[in-house]
Amino acid sequence: QVQLVESGGGLVQPGGSLSLSCAASGNIFRTYAMAWYRQAPGKQRELVASISRGGTSNYADSVKGRFTTSRDNVKNIVYLQMNSLKPEDTAVYYCNANIITTTRTDALDYWGQGTQVTVSS
């Protein structure tokens, strides 16, 4: 079994910063692409940022220049540094990872439970 556990959400004022992390654990053979999604009330889940195993990252236009994602391939952790936060960044943030386990030959997508980020004065 694989578990993804996010941490670091909370309440922050507009213009502030938050750092999220997501640790994958279990019978992991290798972790490939990792990503952050978010879902605001009444809206569909959207991709915020992704990062390949080699470190190539991509961002949604709405967060470019403000958010940075990084990863630790040894610890199977992905990070999301969020700066200059806006009220419209308020959402539940989920991490996603494409992982091959020690008991399978194909990679599957796994999801964390989500962490709330609220940007408000």
Side-chain angles (χ1 to χ4, degrees), residues 18-21 36 48-49 67-69 78-82 93:
L18 275 178
S19 182
L20 306 182
S21 63
W36 290 95
V48 175
F67 290 11
T68 302
T69 189
V78 61
Y79 304 95
L80 185 67
Q81 177 64 41
M82 304 183 291
Y93 284 70

Side-chain angles (χ1 to χ4, degrees), residues 29-97:
F29 175 73
R30 180 163 293 178
T31 303
Y32 292 100
M34 304 182 84
W36 290 95
Y37 288 75
R38 67 185 181 187
Q39 187 167 19
K43 294 188 177 181
Q44 289 188 332
R45 188 174 297 189
E46 63 174 354
L47 177 64
V48 175
S50 64
I51 183 167
S52 70
R53 182 171 179 83
T56 301
S57 57
N58 290 284
Y59 300 92
D61 288 342
S62 59
V63 306
K64 279 181 182 177
R66 301 188 297 122
F67 290 11
T68 302
T69 189
S70 59
R71 63 187 288 169
D72 183 326
N73 288 336
V74 174
K75 297 180 179 179
N76 291 314
I77 299 176
V78 61
Y79 304 95
L80 185 67
Q81 177 64 41
M82 304 183 291
N83 299 326
S84 302
L85 283 161
K86 305 175 181 180
E88 50 263 44
D89 294 318
T90 296
V92 177
Y93 284 70
Y94 299 89
C95 71
N96 166 273

